[in-house]
Amino acid sequence: MTRTNEKNFPFYKKIGVPTFENLAQQGGFDTYVDLQNAYRYIQSGEIVLEIGAGYGRCIDFLIHKGHKGTIYAIEQSAELCEHLREKYKDIAVIIEGDIYQSYLPERVDSALWMWSGIIDFAPDEQAHTIKHLADLLKEKGKLFIDIPRLGAQTIAIHQDNQHITMKTDFGVMECYIPTTVEVQSYAHAAGFNRVDEINYETSTAKKRTMYILLK
Ligand SMILES: C[S@@+](CC[C@H](N)C(=O)[O-])C[C@H]1O[C@@H](n2cnc3c(N)ncnc32)[C@H](O)[C@@H]1O
């Protein structure tokens, strides 16, 4: 059976880098407010994994920070991977693949799942992926999950507080925003010890929540 997450892949196949960058500007992610919050927990020498690297926004931020540790970036879209390999071949290890079944040559200190990456997955897929990510992290590893604040309006159609649909020229996206209780229960099942929560606004005043899952 095709996963909900896989049904959302065509959107990223077709979107193209300029439109993706435009969306980041509209959302207020181009100024890296989200990543500045996350980086308070990250040391410069850490091995970092980015889940769903898109057009390379998080890699750009890490370069801007002078990050010294190895950067792994997993991305399922072949089209986006071509762009990432071209732009960051000497800076990051680009892995073309599905996070559901991707493995790394070593365990990482921090994993970044930013800009609503998790909401492209159905609830059971979210739980499964968090468990898988826990295995990819070191003993004291951290997982960062960034989502729209529950109840805040987004550019998508809101079926209810948690189910949202985005209809675009590139395809339809079916998304699910987890509650704090759900994130805590995924974290608990995956063996994390603590979940921190940061509520913040992007530079275009979009209300967001970032969870930091700590082992
Ligand atoms: C909302 S974008 C976030 C991009 C980037 N992380 C950022 O913060 O700018 C989500 C990205 O995750 C990728 N993605 C979605 N499902 C994936 C999966 N199962 N494995 C790897 N990448 C995935 C998409 O192709 C897309 O590039």
Side-chain angles (χ1 to χ4, degrees):
M1 211 177 71
T2 314
R3 285 183 278 124
T4 296
N5 173 228
E6 288 172 302
K7 290 187 200 151
N8 291 330
F9 286 175
F11 173 85
Y12 295 109
K13 182 179 173 59
K14 294 188 197 135
I15 185 169
V17 173
T19 309
F20 214 156
E21 286 174 339
N22 242 325
L23 275 182
Q25 276 172 18
Q26 280 175 40
F29 294 102
D30 57 326
T31 53
Y32 311 125
V33 189
D34 55 338
L35 290 155
Q36 296 285 7
N37 279 322
Y39 209 72
R40 287 195 264 136
Y41 287 76
I42 298 173
Q43 305 291 316
S44 178
E46 287 191 7
I47 305 171
V48 174
L49 163 68
E50 187 191 0
I51 301 128
Y55 67 84
R57 188 183 69 93
C58 298
I59 303 173
D60 286 336
F61 170 79
L62 292 168
I63 296 169
H64 158 82
K65 277 284 175 193
H67 189 77
K68 299 216 166 23
T70 306
I71 304 167
Y72 291 99
I74 295 184
E75 172 54 56
Q76 60 76 26
S77 152
E79 289 73 14
L80 291 169
C81 277
E82 201 181 316
H83 161 81
L84 293 167
R85 276 191 295 263
E86 211 166 275
K87 192 164 176 196
Y88 306 107
K89 72 172 171 353
D90 299 324
I91 293 152
V93 181
I94 309 298
I95 300 167
E96 185 175 332
D98 183 342
I99 187 58
Y100 233 65
Q101 53 245 348
S102 293
Y103 288 89
L104 300 172
E106 60 186 331
R107 288 184 182 233
V108 303
D109 296 288
S110 285
L112 296 168
W113 206 0
M114 307 306 285
W115 189 6
S116 304
I118 190 174
I119 75 170
D120 290 2
F121 293 63
D124 60 321
E125 299 166 10
Q126 295 178 350
H128 169 99
T129 310
I130 288 178
K131 232 181 213 156
H132 181 52
L133 289 169
D135 291 339
L136 302 183
L137 286 168
K138 287 185 188 174
E139 210 179 312
K140 291 280 169 207
K142 295 150 280 185
L143 170 60
F144 299 79
I145 296 175
D146 183 69
I147 59 171
R149 182 106 43 93
L150 212 66
Q153 196 58 44
T154 71
I155 53 169
I157 301 159
H158 289 242
Q159 318 292 351
D160 58 36
N161 242 4
Q162 294 185 265
H163 294 86
I164 64 174
T165 307
M166 218 163 77
K167 289 189 177 148
T168 72
D169 295 345
F170 316 109
V172 178
M173 297 269 287
E174 295 294 345
C175 301
Y176 182 81
I177 306 172
T179 62
T180 296
V181 169
E182 282 170 323
V183 172
Q184 283 167 341
S185 107
Y186 300 155
H188 179 72
F192 287 93
N193 283 317
R194 197 176 104 202
V195 177
D196 288 359
E197 177 179 337
I198 298 173
N199 289 300
Y200 72 98
E201 285 190 16
T202 68
S203 49
T204 51
K206 304 285 186 275
K207 290 183 167 45
R208 311 282 306 174
T209 301
M210 186 183 313
Y211 296 100
I212 302 105
L213 280 54
L214 300 123
K215 273 191 166 183

